[in-house]
Amino acid sequence: MKKIIALSLITACVAMANPYAKCAGCHGANGEKAALGKSKIIKDMTKADFVASLKGYQDGSYGGPMKGLMKGQVKGMDEATMQAIADKIAK
């Protein structure tokens, strides 16, 4: 049990230090992958389009086959975090 709590805390700290960390598993370290072979390559998106897509996932107005998965990933993400990720990854 202590190991699970410690791992959860480490994961949370990494996510706070690098908000893109939880995205990299599917999208690649630099946003270069089509997540699960289905998404757009986010490094090729403009910052404005990237942020708009994240907001769309949050409110349900954007997305294809991964819409349900992404809604959970961006739930609770604020605009500052979205912009920070866009600044790191998008054009």
Side-chain angles (χ1 to χ4, degrees), residues 33-85:
K33 294 182 181 179
L36 305 174
K38 298 179 183 182
S39 75
K40 291 181 180 179
I41 296 175
I42 60 176
K43 75 173 184 69
D44 295 336
M45 296 174 76
T46 66
K47 291 178 184 182
D49 286 344
F50 178 77
V51 171
S53 69
L54 294 180
K55 288 179 180 180
Y57 280 126
Q58 277 186 331
D59 67 20
S61 65
Y62 181 86
M66 303 311 293
K67 186 175 186 174
L69 175 81
M70 284 300 299
K71 186 171 179 103
Q73 295 298 311
V74 299
K75 182 180 180 181
M77 188 181 286
D78 62 15
E79 190 166 351
T81 301
M82 293 177 188
Q83 191 61 52
I85 297 170

